[in-house]
Amino acid sequence: MSGGPMNVAEAVGAVLASLGVRTAFGVVGSGNFHVTNALTEHGVRYVAARHEGGAATMADAYARMSGTVAVLTVHQGPGLTNALTGITEAAKSRTPLLVLAAEATSPRSNFRIDQAALAAAVGAHGTRVGSAETVVDDTVMAYLAALLGRRTVLLNLPLDVQAEELPDDVVHAVQELRAGGGSRRQEAAGLVPPPWGLTFPGAGESGSDEAESSSPAERSGASGAMAELAALLAAAERPVFLAGRGARGSRKELEALGERVGALFATSAVAKGHFHGSPWDLDVSGGFASPLTAELVGAADLVVGWGCSFTMWTTRHGTLIGPDTKVVQVDIDADAIGVNRPVDLGVVGDVRETARAVRDLLPGEASGPEHGYRSRELEARIAREVRWRDVPYQDLSGEGRIDPRTLSIELDDLLPEERVVSVDSGNFMGYPTMFLSVPDGSGFCFTQAFQSVGLGLATAVGAALARPDRLPVAALGDGGLLMSVGELETVVRLGLPMVAVVYDDQGYGAEVHHFGPDGFPLDTVRFPPADIAEIARGFGCDAVTVGERADLGDVAEWLKGPRDKPLVIHAKVTADKASWWLEEAFRGH
């Protein structure tokens, strides 16, 4: 492309590579063939999935765990509709994802649909490349909308426009970008993301509804709100910090502020691991919370949400936070404040900078190891009781089936600490979420804003590619695995040393336990046994079947190496008891 003519499809690929896009995911058809090749020609890694739905979720997870804008490339019409569930999850999660979709504009094309309307319907921002003259501006603006707006953007590429040749001056502009002008211009405009990656809200961590015009943040301004937050913290006797994914990259600052005021730390589910290792870490708040976590959050006199918007899942439909508790929400997005529940104070600002500024506003120093919510007695109790694995339970294993709690605890001990855990949706999901530990906030990927079953395996692929330094662990139900089983070939083809744990209860467990007690017939949600281990071997995986503790010895052997094939653990789990979070989850529908 250095000297000859260039068309629009080639220019889109070149411009995106110059803007820093590193990885693209997709399924290639005739409509996105040329733009995908242009991406790879300019150094962007292309990851081919077996279904566009899987590709969309891989891109979503990659963006979350890498802190960069990821690209999804799809064929016109059905390529986009196949990807729609993954795009919806990304849009609800405010993931910076750029979707390149070929677009059929001829009214006679069987591929023609209103793609812009589809984007709007699921909460994504829709735009298109209008012409060869505007391709650079259109592409740059779409990328910046994803990056700076922390949102999912659909960039439609009309087939007739893709083939247009660029005028000489536009070719020159693309070549300037490729020569380094793009990064220089981004730097000059302050658009280069910080070295720790982007911070953006996760599933349920922001909203698109307008904040109330009478919010405290708007009334008092940012500096006044920070002073008010400092005063609330100084007066609090039992403060709790609740971090969402918008707090990513801010652990040091939040811990320093928490030390000054004696705060305890908790997270929303998507931010699990953010405070891992702190003696004051309560782990996940909300429906997944352990009894001690629920007790301590419920008794707080001040709860500060950092990049967390207090969804029904994080607050147990509002019941977890006491009626007299003061609630503060800190978010970079003004529209996120007060969306899911009223707050006493809203602070619009970056989490890191706000935590630093508020700490500087506090008078004096911390009053010793026992202050605020902290005491030596409580520290010992947290160490002893806060983890779900430390809560006594009756092991229901037997007759060739293993209790999912026992399975998860054993795996937590077996698997290396440096892991990145991805969890699908379903009745089983709380067991890996709460019984498998992660080393930090970059060790957990939770694509659950849309609560779609079947995204877990693709999530694990995207997370694994973003964090190749860690063992990828996919936690799946039998339903979710069989929905997306074709992506096992992708895992094998990419050579990912993944551990996929399948919690097999031979059915859609959420529906079984929701409708079964009322006597409804369950034939539609129960299935005969499937040999998942043998299916996995057919794709080229190693596989073990686990029905009791002793069977996990094969997992230990695989972990010794060489790990040259992914491992699928077909765990036949007990299915008689509903999960503890299930009843609450159904109340939210």
Side-chain angles (χ1 to χ4, degrees):
M1 293 185 191
S2 57
M6 180 184 297
N7 65 27
V8 165
E10 294 165 341
V12 170
V15 169
L16 290 176
S18 75
L19 291 171
V21 170
R22 300 199 298 262
T23 307
F25 299 80
V27 175
V28 169
S30 59
N32 63 327
F33 180 84
H34 295 299
V35 70
T36 306
N37 282 342
L39 287 166
T40 62
E41 181 177 340
H42 290 284
V44 176
R45 181 183 185 183
Y46 172 67
V47 179
R50 284 301 183 176
H51 190 278
E52 288 91 350
T57 302
M58 291 174 195
D60 179 3
Y62 182 90
R64 296 182 193 221
M65 305 311 289
S66 67
T68 62
V69 175
V71 164
L72 169 67
T73 167
V74 296
H75 183 66
Q76 63 271 24
L80 179 60
T81 58
N82 277 348
L84 211 56
T85 297
I87 292 171
T88 305
E89 168 65 35
K92 284 181 173 289
S93 298
R94 294 295 295 267
T95 298
L97 174 64
L98 181 59
V99 182
L100 305 179
E103 183 181 28
T105 53
S106 168
R108 303 176 64 180
S109 172
N110 60 309
F111 291 132
R112 186 180 182 186
I113 55 174
D114 191 341
Q115 297 189 174
L118 281 179
V122 301
H125 173 65
T127 185
R128 64 172 41 86
V129 172
S131 68
E133 287 76 16
T134 65
V135 61
V136 174
D137 287 345
D138 294 340
T139 304
V140 170
M141 291 306 294
Y143 172 85
L144 293 180
L147 174 69
L148 302 180
R150 304 184 326 279
R151 66 192 309 182
T152 296
V153 176
L154 170 64
L155 179 60
N156 287 303
L157 306 176
L159 294 174
D160 52 347
V161 174
Q162 283 194 52
E164 291 180 7
E165 286 195 5
L166 273 58
D168 289 344
D169 61 328
V170 180
V171 172
H172 181 67
V174 174
Q175 291 171 341
E176 271 197 331
L177 283 167
R178 291 301 301 146
S183 59
R184 287 198 297 273
R185 288 173 190 170
Q186 286 189 73
E187 279 185 20
L191 301 180
V192 175
W196 58 85
L198 304 175
T199 60
F200 47 87
E205 302 310 335
S206 69
S208 57
D209 298 338
E210 292 187 4
E212 295 181 279
S213 61
S214 60
S215 70
E218 292 180 344
R219 289 200 309 270
S220 60
S223 59
M226 288 183 189
E228 192 172 347
L229 173 54
L232 287 170
L233 286 169
E237 296 180 354
R238 297 179 305 281
V240 169
F241 288 180
L242 183 50
R245 210 174 87 213
R248 187 178 180 183
S250 64
R251 174 172 178 167
K252 178 181 176 181
E253 290 75 15
L254 290 179
E255 286 191 327
L257 179 59
E259 176 66 25
R260 286 288 301 275
V261 299
L264 307 182
F265 304 127
T267 73
S268 63
V270 292
K272 177 181 171 66
H274 188 82
F275 298 111
H276 178 76
S278 167
W280 309 108
D281 178 22
L282 304 181
D283 206 359
V284 176
S285 174
F288 290 151
S290 70
L292 179 58
T293 295
E295 174 191 329
L296 294 174
V297 173
D301 60 354
L302 174 66
V303 174
V304 184
W306 300 90
C308 168
S309 60
F310 299 106
T311 67
M312 61 183 178
W313 310 115
T314 306
T315 65
R316 290 190 174 175
H317 300 265
T319 63
L320 190 61
I321 297 177
D324 298 323
T325 303
K326 294 287 187 182
V327 178
V328 178
Q329 186 177 351
V330 179
D331 203 292
I332 199 170
D333 184 355
D335 289 343
I337 293 180
V339 168
N340 291 302
R341 62 154 293 148
V343 297
D344 297 286
L345 174 67
V347 182
V348 179
D350 174 76
V351 168
R352 290 179 58 151
E353 297 305 319
T354 300
R356 286 173 177 166
V358 170
R359 184 173 183 267
D360 290 342
L361 291 172
L362 289 168
E365 293 293 331
S367 57
E370 300 204 13
H371 65 290
Y373 215 155
R374 300 182 180 187
S375 69
R376 297 192 186 282
E377 180 182 356
L378 182 57
E379 181 179 4
R381 192 177 174 206
I382 290 172
R384 192 172 59 243
E385 299 178 36
V386 81
R387 300 183 305 170
W388 266 109
R389 65 180 292 163
D390 296 325
V391 177
Y393 69 95
Q394 179 186 0
D395 191 335
L396 301 177
S397 303
E399 299 182 356
R401 292 196 167 271
I402 187 169
D403 190 307
R405 294 164 292 186
T406 302
L407 169 71
S408 303
I409 291 169
E410 293 291 325
L411 288 173
D412 191 45
D413 292 338
L414 275 174
L415 298 174
E417 183 178 356
E418 286 297 310
R419 64 185 75 155
V420 54
V421 177
S422 302
V423 181
D424 206 339
S425 190
N427 176 60
F428 77 96
M429 62 190 289
Y431 299 119
T433 300
M434 297 314 302
F435 286 88
L436 294 182
S437 60
V438 293
D440 52 38
S442 296
F444 191 67
C445 199
F446 200 60
T447 46
Q448 300 289 344
F450 199 34
Q451 286 187 271
S452 173
V453 174
L455 305 187
L457 183 57
T459 297
V461 173
L465 294 172
R467 295 304 308 257
D469 55 319
R470 295 183 171 181
L471 177 74
V473 179
L476 319 169
D478 52 311
L481 181 276
L482 293 173
M483 278 185 186
S484 58
V485 70
E487 300 304 349
L488 278 181
E489 188 279 334
T490 304
V491 177
V492 172
R493 172 167 34 91
L494 294 175
L496 300 177
M498 183 182 295
V499 174
V501 188
V502 183
Y503 292 72
D504 180 12
D505 60 4
Q506 292 183 209
Y508 299 141
E511 285 66 33
V512 168
H513 293 295
H514 182 61
F515 295 107
D518 294 324
F520 290 104
L522 299 174
D523 292 345
T524 57
V525 291
R526 281 180 170 158
F527 297 91
D531 192 341
I532 290 173
E534 194 60 28
I535 292 170
R537 293 186 190 101
F539 281 97
C541 302
D542 286 333
V544 299
T545 299
V546 174
E548 58 183 21
R549 270 193 180 97
D551 297 331
L552 289 166
D554 293 332
V555 177
E557 287 301 313
W558 182 89
L559 288 168
K560 292 177 182 177
R563 305 185 195 176
D564 54 352
K565 294 180 180 180
L567 175 68
V568 173
I569 301 172
H570 177 201
K572 296 183 177 184
V573 298
T574 55
D576 297 333
K577 182 177 173 60
S579 53
W580 77 86
W581 61 89
L582 185 61
E583 181 180 351
E584 175 181 315
F586 272 105
R587 288 207 310 271
H589 289 188

